Amino acid sequence: MNSTPNGTVRARRSAERPVIGVCARTAPVTLQGAPMTVSLALQSHVDFLAAAGCAPLLLPLLPGVEHPVDHLDGLLVPGGPDLDPALYGAAPHPRTRGANPAVDTAELALVAAALDAGLPVLAICRGMQLLNVRFGGTLHQHLPEVTGHDGHCPETEKFTFGGNRLDLRPGSRIAEILGDGPSEAACHHHQAIDRIGTGLTATAWAPDGVVEVVEVTGHPFAIGVQWEAGQTEDERLHRALAEAAGRSAAQAAGRRAVDGSGPVRPATTRG
């Protein structure tokens, strides 16, 4: 039986390759002629994080998925289906699709635990919307009815990404990551933030005013982006998450070395 203290094991692991949890999505596939449902992650998320020196860990969104947070150094919440509008007190729009209350509940619990533990969090597309709902915000359920166009999610016969110029708030975390020059994003979403949740700050917008980035106020690194990060060759957000996870892991290991404690992280203020 391995009697090595859990904190020591985790400190050694984190010093080697920070572990980034990636929320899994489920989808029907056909493999070798057999239909099945699988838990999966976008391969580019896995590749980008691995290239940045991290170990990606797929997290199926089941009850209790938040329990392994002590074994993570960061969290990536990717795109996916629409959230259940009941979470923000709305009736479902006819175009709202794919909502799964059980999955939403599990993912919200995981995100809350990661934030409370001070973990770096990168939330993408649906992930950003879930982050906003977590802090009490609301969503536009069908964006073309608000903007008057389908530029964020082109309705064409063939799947097509929209494109947005990003107006970044100077001095924000996202401006540090993307730089001060013009930035553009590939997008494919029909929902977006309506009322921003308490404890979040908007730090980037599309030309039509749609919020493209929110950051958790007072958190070292917790960012939500509305565009499809991972669907282009731009790895800057994944590298930034990896760097933040490395810093967080090193700081946690240092604290444990000083006080001899287990894998406990400082709590952050809830929004």
Side-chain angles (χ1 to χ4, degrees), residues 84-159:
D84 180 4
L87 291 170
Y88 48 95
H93 186 281
R95 297 293 295 272
T96 295
R97 54 187 183 272
N100 185 324
V103 168
D104 294 343
T105 298
E107 194 163 35
L108 282 165
L110 175 59
V111 168
L115 292 172
D116 286 348
L119 293 183
V121 175
L122 173 60
I124 297 170
C125 199
R126 165 198 160 95
M128 170 173 155
Q129 295 165 10
L130 181 135
L131 188 65
N132 188 57
V133 170
R134 155 72 183 83
F135 281 87
T138 63
L139 304 178
H140 294 299
Q141 290 191 57
H142 193 57
L143 197 53
E145 295 179 352
V146 178
T147 62
H149 63 81
D150 68 353
H152 293 270
C153 186
E155 296 186 1
T156 59
E157 291 185 6
K158 184 179 179 180
F159 182 92

Side-chain angles (χ1 to χ4, degrees), residues 7-264:
T8 303
V9 171
R10 187 173 183 278
R12 184 170 63 247
R13 170 184 56 70
S14 297
E16 295 172 353
R17 290 177 70 85
V19 176
I20 305 294
V22 181
C23 297
R25 301 295 174 218
T26 57
V29 301
T30 300
L31 184 63
Q32 297 181 336
M36 61 186 71
T37 299
V38 299
S39 294
L40 51 81
L42 190 65
Q43 187 62 40
S44 59
H45 291 322
V46 174
D47 292 343
F48 289 173
L49 291 172
C54 295
L57 178 66
L58 193 65
L59 299 173
L61 295 174
L62 302 171
V65 66
E66 72 276 13
H67 294 162
V69 157
D70 283 343
H71 300 280
L72 302 179
D73 301 305
L75 179 67
L76 188 150
V77 188
D82 296 335
L83 293 168
D84 180 4
L87 291 170
Y88 48 95
H93 186 281
R95 297 293 295 272
T96 295
R97 54 187 183 272
N100 185 324
V103 168
D104 294 343
T105 298
E107 194 163 35
L108 282 165
L110 175 59
V111 168
L115 292 172
D116 286 348
L119 293 183
V121 175
L122 173 60
I124 297 170
C125 199
R126 165 198 160 95
M128 170 173 155
Q129 295 165 10
L130 181 135
L131 188 65
N132 188 57
V133 170
R134 155 72 183 83
F135 281 87
T138 63
L139 304 178
H140 294 299
Q141 290 191 57
H142 193 57
L143 197 53
E145 295 179 352
V146 178
T147 62
H149 63 81
D150 68 353
H152 293 270
C153 186
E155 296 186 1
T156 59
E157 291 185 6
K158 184 179 179 180
F159 182 92
T160 305
F161 286 110
N164 283 323
R165 187 189 79 247
L166 301 174
D167 296 324
L168 308 179
R169 172 175 289 181
S172 62
R173 178 73 68 179
I174 195 66
E176 293 176 6
I177 296 170
L178 300 183
D180 296 329
S183 296
E184 294 187 357
C187 58
H188 194 84
H189 61 98
H190 82 112
Q191 298 194 344
I193 286 178
D194 179 9
R195 187 183 72 246
I196 298 175
T198 302
L200 297 178
T201 302
T203 56
W205 301 262
D208 57 11
V210 170
V211 175
E212 292 287 335
V213 179
V214 291
E215 302 179 19
V216 178
T217 307
H219 192 287
F221 188 102
I223 300 174
V225 302
Q226 185 56 78
W227 63 89
E228 298 291 341
Q231 295 281 10
T232 69
E233 296 180 357
D234 189 346
E235 302 179 29
R236 289 177 291 179
L237 282 164
H238 296 75
R239 289 201 304 268
L241 174 63
E243 291 167 3
R247 291 191 299 270
S248 177
Q251 291 167 0
R255 285 190 296 271
R256 286 191 297 274
V258 170
D259 61 24
S261 64
V264 178

